[in-house]
Amino acid sequence: MRRAAGFTLVELVMVIVLLAIVATISVQFVTLSTRGAIDVGARQKRALAGVVISEQISRSVREALPTSLRTGAGGSCLEWMPILAASNYLSRPSGPTPDSFEAVPLAGGRSAAGRVVIYGYGANVYSPTNPGPISPPATLPSGASPVTVSFDGGATHRFTAQSPERRFYVVADPVATCQVGTFLYRYRGYGINISPASGLPSSYPGREVLAANLVPGSLVFQVTPPSLQRGAVVSFNFELVDAESGEVTAIGQEVQVRNVP
């Protein structure tokens, strides 16, 4: 009589144990692979965020009046005056109470309104005194050459120096970029103050969030002032942290700010 084929209990237990080992290894492999993919994705996300933050700061700083770049205490803030327009003057304001001067019009029939700065080297553009390098609010109109740049409200102003290139800039009120805690903010509309990045607004629209998840105290700005031979250089470093893993990505950048005295 033919004996029936089958598995013994020992063989069945061995198969179950082997399957459990294979399943455990497979689960660990899938888990590690998934964790690795998530970590790589998180690093790429932080790296992209770092590039975006650096580019935002760099583009803004490249439009700054070089002699207006300055840092706050500890280097956590950078302040500057954005350039709205630039042209050449035909004659500087003269006389005891000058309220206007003639200039070359802007290309494309544009106009500009802001403060006029001439030269500015060796002087503090954040001290709007008369005489001084920065004027009261003024208007550069459109029109045929020459155009007359007038100080608003009948104000008068004399500039303390002349530009070798007869160059003048029209600048806006100061803006600042600062780190507060884990956030990076952009400030505007707070006026001109003697101390760097002082009197900053604490709410929207004067304060806008540029980025989050920065390591507290990691943002440091450094400014190399411009000279008659070279432009200003702004360098900054900061760190981004992953909220879940705590992994940190360090970012560094240098920006050259070209200038024409």
Side-chain angles (χ1 to χ4, degrees):
M1 182 177 181
R2 188 175 179 182
R3 189 173 63 177
F7 296 102
T8 65
L9 181 60
V10 174
E11 292 173 332
L12 185 58
V13 170
M14 290 178 63
V15 170
I16 293 174
V17 171
L18 291 173
L19 289 175
I21 294 173
V22 172
T24 300
I25 295 174
S26 300
V27 169
Q28 287 292 333
F29 177 78
V30 173
T31 300
L32 292 174
S33 299
T34 303
R35 183 71 261 175
I38 293 174
D39 290 343
V40 169
R43 293 190 192 102
Q44 291 177 338
K45 183 178 179 181
R46 287 197 308 277
L48 179 60
V51 171
V52 172
I53 296 170
S54 297
E55 188 63 19
Q56 283 182 317
I57 297 175
S58 298
R59 289 189 179 187
S60 298
V61 169
R62 289 191 187 103
E63 298 175 353
L65 178 71
T67 54
S68 71
L69 289 162
R70 62 179 184 172
T71 58
S76 62
C77 284
L78 178 68
E79 186 176 30
W80 69 92
M81 295 181 182
I83 295 176
L84 301 176
S87 186
N88 297 91
Y89 59 83
L90 301 179
S91 61
R92 282 192 308 157
S94 59
T97 56
D99 59 0
S100 63
F101 63 94
E102 292 187 339
V104 177
L106 298 177
R110 295 185 301 114
S111 62
R115 294 176 182 267
V116 175
V117 176
I118 294 179
Y119 202 60
Y121 291 83
N124 183 6
V125 295
Y126 290 93
S127 179
T129 57
N130 185 17
I134 185 169
S135 76
T139 301
L140 171 60
S142 59
S145 183
V147 294
T148 300
V149 180
S150 302
F151 303 127
D152 297 346
T156 61
H157 187 78
R158 296 182 65 185
F159 295 95
T160 51
Q162 63 179 352
S163 164
E165 303 294 333
R166 305 178 70 86
R167 190 78 164 170
F168 74 92
Y169 296 93
V170 180
V171 299
D173 284 342
V175 297
T177 296
C178 304
Q179 180 183 7
V180 179
T182 60
F183 290 92
L184 181 64
Y185 293 104
R186 171 69 53 79
Y187 299 90
R188 64 182 74 248
Y190 55 89
I192 298 178
N193 300 299
I194 295 297
S195 300
S198 59
L200 301 178
S202 59
S203 61
Y204 179 84
R207 184 177 77 170
E208 305 168 347
V209 176
L210 289 183
N213 296 330
L214 272 71
V215 175
S218 65
L219 179 62
V220 178
F221 289 104
Q222 292 182 329
V223 175
T224 301
S227 69
L228 298 180
Q229 289 77 36
R230 55 165 175 75
V233 176
V234 176
S235 62
F236 56 91
N237 301 276
F238 61 92
E239 295 177 341
L240 294 172
V241 62
D242 188 285
E244 296 182 0
S245 67
E247 187 175 5
V248 173
T249 300
I251 308 293
Q253 180 84 347
E254 281 192 353
V255 185
Q256 184 179 15
V257 185
R258 301 182 183 276
N259 64 304
V260 177

